[in-house]
Amino acid sequence: MLIKNSRFGPGGVRPSEIAPKDVWLNRRELLGNAGFGLAALAAPAALWPRVAHAGRKLEDLVKSDWVVDDVLTPLEDITTYNNFYEFGTGKDDPSRYAGAFKPLPWSIQVHGECEDRGTIDYEDLIGSFPVEERIYRFRCVEAWSMVVPWAGVSLASVLQRFRPTSKAKYVAFETVYRPEEMRGQKRGFLDWPYVEGLRIDEAMHPLSLLAVGVYGEELPNQNGAPVRLVVPWKYGYKSIKSIVSITFTEDEPPTTWNRQAPHEYGFYSNVNPERPHPRWSQARERRLGGGLFARKIPTLKFNGYEKEVASLYAGMDLIEHH
Amino acid sequence: MARAATVLRPGFGWLKAAVFLAALVPFGMIAAGAWSGDLGANPVETLIHHFGDWALRLLLATLAVTPLRRLTGWNQAVRLRRMLGLFAFFYASLHLATYFVLDRSLLLEEILDDLTERPYIMVGFAAFVLLVPLAATSTNAMIRRLGGRRWRALHRVVYVAAAGGVIHFWWLVKADVREPLIYAAVLVLLLALRLPSVVPFLRALPGRIRRRPAPG
């Protein structure tokens, strides 16, 4: 059965090796046909009204050991259920309106506390560094989650090219500001441009990824094309999209949601089932793709990456530094 | 007796039936969506939001009946009010049931946690609880038993419930309060039209418009 085939162990089988794209696309339908009665209530891809995207295939993807064992979230869900307020606050706004955004050509400016300030453009990024396919859990602060086969380059390897100095204690990121192409930016419900940040050791952690693709193809606009951050042990809003600027800083940089509601969203924003958000208990999460009758599943500390990242926070009170 | 006292105008039965069917359309549409599996990536959330939206809309529609009647003098409109109110309760019940059963899987601990820790759920749940006695006393028999004055006093609770529903929505939203703001504005307007100083003006408005001399 397909559902069995699409679980891969830590050995790292690429989704692109398992099934052609049309099979991913029809995964839910296959689930339904296979007699998973309740799963059949989930949206069959064939009936989905909007075509997600037709992305360019990424060549020479490298296998990675960073893969989780969970069932992949269908591409439709990944590309039609997005929080990307630059295109509007509805979950379907990004897939509906991101077509106006023209990501390429693209370059990222790198500045601040480093010896080789400069820019890196998109082609350089995917040409100079190995583009790995990694399967990460993705947990939103709103208590839903996905399992995404990203394609991307290690953030650490990119950052090291610019030779951060000893003063570089943090890394700040900034999203592009193009209100003409991003209709949500014409309205002021967030303080544009969107900014995020990591501590330098978080940014240098091997799990931190600059993603350029999903399911073996270039990132759709609604998922943060052409380059976005993915930090899988933190809530989704830390994984800033459509990055145009990276700055090494000595002080903790401001972050958009923290500015918006400091009590609700801290700088660290590590996934933590023990620290409830004022509106969402973080103890459990809804894994998308499960259909109407699937139960929520328990949320894991650091989103299941405790073994890999807990040492970054040794001795820290993770409730206070949420 | 109460029934006999109200004489329906010809055709009103048809209007009532039409409103009844119209109020069922949101249910029919979402049921069709669920049947064909077309509720999007997060179908539980889609259902909860849909039922919540319609509960609030129909509650506001219910509250619009009296001002509309005063403005137009169309007194028969009051005959639609109970049905609209009961439909609001119907959608609110579905909203709550979807949350309890599909979202929380009837896990009591989680539900209690929500009811004690999350202000938006507290106020939303309180609003629903306030609607229960209103729905329960909506029959002619209950109106007779309570007596008109006490019944009307009890049913003023609907203003509090509507405000609770709007606040529930407002507090849920992360950043963009535009939509809850619209509901809040409509509610404030509908409540303002009930102010004792406004009612006579509202009643006189149609006449005043008619009496205004036509421009030369």
Side-chain angles (χ1 to χ4, degrees), chain B residues 22-39:
Chain B
L24 273 176
V25 167
F27 179 77
M29 282 176 63
I30 204 77
W35 182 254
S36 64
D38 204 12
L39 298 183

PDB file of all heavy atoms in Angstrom, chain B residues 22-39:
ATOM      1  N   ALA B  22     -33.575  29.010   3.383  1.00  0.00           N
ATOM      2  CA  ALA B  22     -32.352  29.816   3.215  1.00  0.00           C
ATOM      3  C   ALA B  22     -31.410  29.605   4.400  1.00  0.00           C
ATOM      4  O   ALA B  22     -30.195  29.508   4.236  1.00  0.00           O
ATOM      5  CB  ALA B  22     -32.711  31.283   3.064  1.00  0.00           C
ATOM      6  N   ALA B  23     -31.992  29.516   5.601  1.00  0.00           N
ATOM      7  CA  ALA B  23     -31.158  29.353   6.794  1.00  0.00           C
ATOM      8  C   ALA B  23     -30.510  27.973   6.831  1.00  0.00           C
ATOM      9  O   ALA B  23     -29.539  27.761   7.556  1.00  0.00           O
ATOM     10  CB  ALA B  23     -31.989  29.588   8.054  1.00  0.00           C
ATOM     11  N   LEU B  24     -31.047  27.045   6.070  1.00  0.00           N
ATOM     12  CA  LEU B  24     -30.451  25.705   6.013  1.00  0.00           C
ATOM     13  C   LEU B  24     -29.349  25.596   4.965  1.00  0.00           C
ATOM     14  O   LEU B  24     -28.589  24.635   4.956  1.00  0.00           O
ATOM     15  CB  LEU B  24     -31.531  24.666   5.706  1.00  0.00           C
ATOM     16  CG  LEU B  24     -32.289  24.095   6.910  1.00  0.00           C
ATOM     17  CD1 LEU B  24     -33.390  23.160   6.431  1.00  0.00           C
ATOM     18  CD2 LEU B  24     -31.350  23.355   7.859  1.00  0.00           C
ATOM     19  N   VAL B  25     -29.271  26.610   4.076  1.00  0.00           N
ATOM     20  CA  VAL B  25     -28.283  26.534   2.991  1.00  0.00           C
ATOM     21  C   VAL B  25     -26.848  26.384   3.515  1.00  0.00           C
ATOM     22  O   VAL B  25     -26.105  25.520   3.039  1.00  0.00           O
ATOM     23  CB  VAL B  25     -28.433  27.733   2.029  1.00  0.00           C
ATOM     24  CG1 VAL B  25     -27.232  27.847   1.105  1.00  0.00           C
ATOM     25  CG2 VAL B  25     -29.721  27.594   1.223  1.00  0.00           C
ATOM     26  N   PRO B  26     -26.428  27.201   4.517  1.00  0.00           N
ATOM     27  CA  PRO B  26     -25.054  27.021   4.997  1.00  0.00           C
ATOM     28  C   PRO B  26     -24.786  25.605   5.512  1.00  0.00           C
ATOM     29  O   PRO B  26     -23.687  25.072   5.330  1.00  0.00           O
ATOM     30  CB  PRO B  26     -24.953  28.030   6.149  1.00  0.00           C
ATOM     31  CG  PRO B  26     -25.999  29.033   5.885  1.00  0.00           C
ATOM     32  CD  PRO B  26     -27.116  28.312   5.193  1.00  0.00           C
ATOM     33  N   PHE B  27     -25.798  25.005   6.120  1.00  0.00           N
ATOM     34  CA  PHE B  27     -25.620  23.633   6.595  1.00  0.00           C
ATOM     35  C   PHE B  27     -25.489  22.674   5.414  1.00  0.00           C
ATOM     36  O   PHE B  27     -24.599  21.824   5.388  1.00  0.00           O
ATOM     37  CB  PHE B  27     -26.795  23.217   7.482  1.00  0.00           C
ATOM     38  CG  PHE B  27     -26.678  21.800   7.980  1.00  0.00           C
ATOM     39  CD1 PHE B  27     -25.820  21.494   9.024  1.00  0.00           C
ATOM     40  CD2 PHE B  27     -27.393  20.784   7.381  1.00  0.00           C
ATOM     41  CE1 PHE B  27     -25.683  20.190   9.463  1.00  0.00           C
ATOM     42  CE2 PHE B  27     -27.260  19.469   7.811  1.00  0.00           C
ATOM     43  CZ  PHE B  27     -26.405  19.169   8.860  1.00  0.00           C
ATOM     44  N   GLY B  28     -26.366  22.866   4.441  1.00  0.00           N
ATOM     45  CA  GLY B  28     -26.339  21.990   3.271  1.00  0.00           C
ATOM     46  C   GLY B  28     -25.022  22.080   2.522  1.00  0.00           C
ATOM     47  O   GLY B  28     -24.451  21.073   2.102  1.00  0.00           O
ATOM     48  N   MET B  29     -24.511  23.312   2.406  1.00  0.00           N
ATOM     49  CA  MET B  29     -23.272  23.491   1.646  1.00  0.00           C
ATOM     50  C   MET B  29     -22.091  22.809   2.324  1.00  0.00           C
ATOM     51  O   MET B  29     -21.282  22.136   1.682  1.00  0.00           O
ATOM     52  CB  MET B  29     -22.983  24.977   1.453  1.00  0.00           C
ATOM     53  CG  MET B  29     -23.840  25.592   0.354  1.00  0.00           C
ATOM     54  SD  MET B  29     -23.593  27.362   0.199  1.00  0.00           S
ATOM     55  CE  MET B  29     -21.871  27.423  -0.278  1.00  0.00           C
ATOM     56  N   ILE B  30     -22.012  22.975   3.637  1.00  0.00           N
ATOM     57  CA  ILE B  30     -20.860  22.387   4.331  1.00  0.00           C
ATOM     58  C   ILE B  30     -21.002  20.866   4.402  1.00  0.00           C
ATOM     59  O   ILE B  30     -20.020  20.133   4.346  1.00  0.00           O
ATOM     60  CB  ILE B  30     -20.669  23.029   5.734  1.00  0.00           C
ATOM     61  CG1 ILE B  30     -19.217  22.879   6.192  1.00  0.00           C
ATOM     62  CG2 ILE B  30     -21.585  22.417   6.763  1.00  0.00           C
ATOM     63  CD1 ILE B  30     -18.263  23.835   5.555  1.00  0.00           C
ATOM     64  N   ALA B  31     -22.266  20.404   4.495  1.00  0.00           N
ATOM     65  CA  ALA B  31     -22.475  18.953   4.512  1.00  0.00           C
ATOM     66  C   ALA B  31     -22.050  18.360   3.175  1.00  0.00           C
ATOM     67  O   ALA B  31     -21.405  17.306   3.122  1.00  0.00           O
ATOM     68  CB  ALA B  31     -23.939  18.641   4.810  1.00  0.00           C
ATOM     69  N   ALA B  32     -22.377  19.068   2.086  1.00  0.00           N
ATOM     70  CA  ALA B  32     -21.956  18.599   0.763  1.00  0.00           C
ATOM     71  C   ALA B  32     -20.438  18.599   0.668  1.00  0.00           C
ATOM     72  O   ALA B  32     -19.830  17.665   0.124  1.00  0.00           O
ATOM     73  CB  ALA B  32     -22.566  19.487  -0.321  1.00  0.00           C
ATOM     74  N   GLY B  33     -19.822  19.645   1.210  1.00  0.00           N
ATOM     75  CA  GLY B  33     -18.356  19.724   1.199  1.00  0.00           C
ATOM     76  C   GLY B  33     -17.732  18.573   1.974  1.00  0.00           C
ATOM     77  O   GLY B  33     -16.741  17.988   1.550  1.00  0.00           O
ATOM     78  N   ALA B  34     -18.322  18.253   3.113  1.00  0.00           N
ATOM     79  CA  ALA B  34     -17.793  17.155   3.929  1.00  0.00           C
ATOM     80  C   ALA B  34     -17.964  15.825   3.187  1.00  0.00           C
ATOM     81  O   ALA B  34     -17.085  14.970   3.214  1.00  0.00           O
ATOM     82  CB  ALA B  34     -18.507  17.105   5.271  1.00  0.00           C
ATOM     83  N   TRP B  35     -19.103  15.688   2.530  1.00  0.00           N
ATOM     84  CA  TRP B  35     -19.387  14.445   1.810  1.00  0.00           C
ATOM     85  C   TRP B  35     -18.383  14.233   0.685  1.00  0.00           C
ATOM     86  O   TRP B  35     -17.867  13.144   0.490  1.00  0.00           O
ATOM     87  CB  TRP B  35     -20.820  14.484   1.274  1.00  0.00           C
ATOM     88  CG  TRP B  35     -21.201  13.236   0.565  1.00  0.00           C
ATOM     89  CD1 TRP B  35     -21.346  13.050  -0.777  1.00  0.00           C
ATOM     90  CD2 TRP B  35     -21.486  11.958   1.170  1.00  0.00           C
ATOM     91  NE1 TRP B  35     -21.696  11.756  -1.043  1.00  0.00           N
ATOM     92  CE2 TRP B  35     -21.790  11.054   0.130  1.00  0.00           C
ATOM     93  CE3 TRP B  35     -21.508  11.506   2.496  1.00  0.00           C
ATOM     94  CZ2 TRP B  35     -22.113   9.727   0.363  1.00  0.00           C
ATOM     95  CZ3 TRP B  35     -21.830  10.175   2.736  1.00  0.00           C
ATOM     96  CH2 TRP B  35     -22.131   9.300   1.672  1.00  0.00           C
ATOM     97  N   SER B  36     -18.080  15.310  -0.053  1.00  0.00           N
ATOM     98  CA  SER B  36     -17.161  15.155  -1.180  1.00  0.00           C
ATOM     99  C   SER B  36     -15.710  15.327  -0.737  1.00  0.00           C
ATOM    100  O   SER B  36     -14.801  15.272  -1.542  1.00  0.00           O
ATOM    101  CB  SER B  36     -17.502  16.174  -2.275  1.00  0.00           C
ATOM    102  OG  SER B  36     -17.293  17.481  -1.780  1.00  0.00           O
ATOM    103  N   GLY B  37     -15.500  15.534   0.547  1.00  0.00           N
ATOM    104  CA  GLY B  37     -14.130  15.672   1.043  1.00  0.00           C
ATOM    105  C   GLY B  37     -13.466  16.949   0.588  1.00  0.00           C
ATOM    106  O   GLY B  37     -12.276  16.994   0.342  1.00  0.00           O
ATOM    107  N   ASP B  38     -14.232  18.012   0.495  1.00  0.00           N
ATOM    108  CA  ASP B  38     -13.704  19.253  -0.056  1.00  0.00           C
ATOM    109  C   ASP B  38     -13.624  20.361   0.992  1.00  0.00           C
ATOM    110  O   ASP B  38     -13.927  21.498   0.712  1.00  0.00           O
ATOM    111  CB  ASP B  38     -14.609  19.693  -1.225  1.00  0.00           C
ATOM    112  CG  ASP B  38     -13.868  20.571  -2.200  1.00  0.00           C
ATOM    113  OD1 ASP B  38     -12.629  20.650  -2.108  1.00  0.00           O
ATOM    114  OD2 ASP B  38     -14.523  21.204  -3.041  1.00  0.00           O
ATOM    115  N   LEU B  39     -13.212  20.000   2.188  1.00  0.00           N
ATOM    116  CA  LEU B  39     -13.164  21.001   3.255  1.00  0.00           C
ATOM    117  C   LEU B  39     -11.756  21.528   3.501  1.00  0.00           C
ATOM    118  O   LEU B  39     -11.487  22.138   4.521  1.00  0.00           O
ATOM    119  CB  LEU B  39     -13.740  20.420   4.556  1.00  0.00           C
ATOM    120  CG  LEU B  39     -15.210  19.987   4.497  1.00  0.00           C
ATOM    121  CD1 LEU B  39     -15.674  19.505   5.864  1.00  0.00           C
ATOM    122  CD2 LEU B  39     -16.099  21.122   4.020  1.00  0.00           C
TER     123      LEU B  39
END
